[in-house]
Amino acid sequence: MGCSTITVKFLVLLFNFLCAVLGLATIVINALAIKDMAPDGRPILWVFIALGSIVFLTSFLGCFGAIKESICLTWTYAITMLALLIISVVVLFVFRMHIEGAVTAEDELNLAWQKQKNGTDAMSEYQNQFHCCGINGVKDYTIANLTVPESCFDHDTAYTVGCLKEMESFFDGLWQGPKIVVWILMVIEIASFTFSTILGVTLRNEQRRYGY
């Protein structure tokens, strides 16, 4: 086994280790975000968790294939990494197009506001949590001819900021961790696929060379 093969083998093992770490990080970060995420945003987090789990488990296949210098396992791992990379790109595209902090907050607040106008104090949960009032401010209650609830007040002082602005910031911050870790994971997947492909080609060439 030549020096170049040893180098590629080492790089495959290194990026497999990084895949395992990033896969585990993806699972943990998204699992922590789920409990505070709005219902509409949870499915994409479950997809991220599933993706991280598959990457974590697949990394062991890559390590075993590199250590055993198995052409079959190495190519299987490379193809799997390519498939996971494509899935990651699609998931991130869907995430970027349809999931934003503003959209998540607006959908959740609009539903709560409709319930508020129907006599259910649905806004209190958000007003108590985010120290805000109405969707865009206390004026929302005045315009809708509704009594301003106690949850809009801190003692005798009314909250001036609307819940939409506060919740947008909250959900944007909540999405930040999952987005960053999946972007990093995708970069590591590219490196893992590249070096495992190179290793597969190198092992195949060596097998043919020794076969003559």
Side-chain angles (χ1 to χ4, degrees), residues 15 18-19 22 81 84-85 88-89 92 179-195:
F15 282 105
L18 292 176
C19 270
L22 264 298
M81 273 293 113
L84 290 173
L85 178 59
S88 298
V89 172
L92 281 172
K179 281 196 295 186
I180 290 173
V181 74
V182 172
W183 272 107
I184 296 173
L185 180 62
M186 191 169 67
V187 172
I188 300 300
E189 286 173 348
I190 293 172
S192 296
F193 166 72
T194 301
F195 288 114

Side-chain angles (χ1 to χ4, degrees), residues 95-166:
F95 176 87
R96 190 174 183 84
M97 292 295 294
H98 300 287
I99 305 295
E100 296 179 359
V103 175
T104 305
E106 189 171 3
D107 289 345
E108 194 162 344
L109 280 175
N110 283 338
L111 180 61
W113 184 249
Q114 289 303 317
K115 292 180 180 179
Q116 186 78 23
K117 290 196 294 184
N118 291 332
T120 303
D121 194 15
M123 289 293 294
S124 289
E125 176 185 351
Y126 306 107
Q127 289 165 171
N128 284 323
Q129 181 180 354
F130 296 102
H131 303 281
C132 54
C133 188
I135 295 178
N136 297 299
V138 68
K139 63 181 180 180
D140 290 340
Y141 286 97
T142 304
I143 295 172
N145 293 320
L146 295 174
T147 302
V148 181
E150 292 182 4
S151 56
C152 272
F153 293 88
D154 180 13
H155 301 297
D156 294 328
T157 305
Y159 298 124
T160 57
V161 65
C163 291
L164 180 60
K165 182 178 180 180
E166 293 295 309

Side-chain angles (χ1 to χ4, degrees), residues 1-209:
M1 184 168 59
C3 181
S4 60
T5 306
I6 295 174
T7 302
V8 174
K9 183 178 177 180
F10 169 78
L11 289 171
V12 170
L13 290 172
L14 173 63
F15 282 105
N16 268 281
F17 172 75
L18 292 176
C19 270
V21 172
L22 264 298
L24 192 60
T26 301
I27 296 170
V28 172
I29 290 174
N30 284 279
L32 291 174
I34 277 181
K35 64 183 180 66
D36 294 322
M37 183 56 64
D40 289 346
R42 288 174 184 170
I44 194 74
L45 294 182
W46 282 115
V47 173
F48 285 158
I49 290 173
L51 183 64
S53 301
I54 296 171
V55 170
F56 178 76
L57 294 174
T58 305
S59 63
F60 292 101
L61 174 65
C63 287
F64 188 73
I67 292 171
K68 292 293 185 180
E69 297 181 12
S70 169
I71 297 174
C72 180
L73 288 177
T74 300
W75 277 112
T76 300
Y77 173 73
I79 293 170
T80 304
M81 273 293 113
L82 179 59
L84 290 173
L85 178 59
I86 293 171
I87 293 171
S88 298
V89 172
V90 171
V91 170
L92 281 172
F93 176 77
V94 172
F95 176 87
R96 190 174 183 84
M97 292 295 294
H98 300 287
I99 305 295
E100 296 179 359
V103 175
T104 305
E106 189 171 3
D107 289 345
E108 194 162 344
L109 280 175
N110 283 338
L111 180 61
W113 184 249
Q114 289 303 317
K115 292 180 180 179
Q116 186 78 23
K117 290 196 294 184
N118 291 332
T120 303
D121 194 15
M123 289 293 294
S124 289
E125 176 185 351
Y126 306 107
Q127 289 165 171
N128 284 323
Q129 181 180 354
F130 296 102
H131 303 281
C132 54
C133 188
I135 295 178
N136 297 299
V138 68
K139 63 181 180 180
D140 290 340
Y141 286 97
T142 304
I143 295 172
N145 293 320
L146 295 174
T147 302
V148 181
E150 292 182 4
S151 56
C152 272
F153 293 88
D154 180 13
H155 301 297
D156 294 328
T157 305
Y159 298 124
T160 57
V161 65
C163 291
L164 180 60
K165 182 178 180 180
E166 293 295 309
M167 289 179 67
E168 281 178 3
S169 300
F170 173 76
F171 283 121
D172 282 338
L174 200 60
W175 281 118
Q176 198 66 24
K179 281 196 295 186
I180 290 173
V181 74
V182 172
W183 272 107
I184 296 173
L185 180 62
M186 191 169 67
V187 172
I188 300 300
E189 286 173 348
I190 293 172
S192 296
F193 166 72
T194 301
F195 288 114
S196 59
T197 301
I198 294 172
L199 180 61
V201 172
T202 303
L203 292 175
R204 174 67 71 183
N205 290 338
E206 287 187 352
Q207 184 185 61
R208 289 174 178 173
R209 186 163 55 248

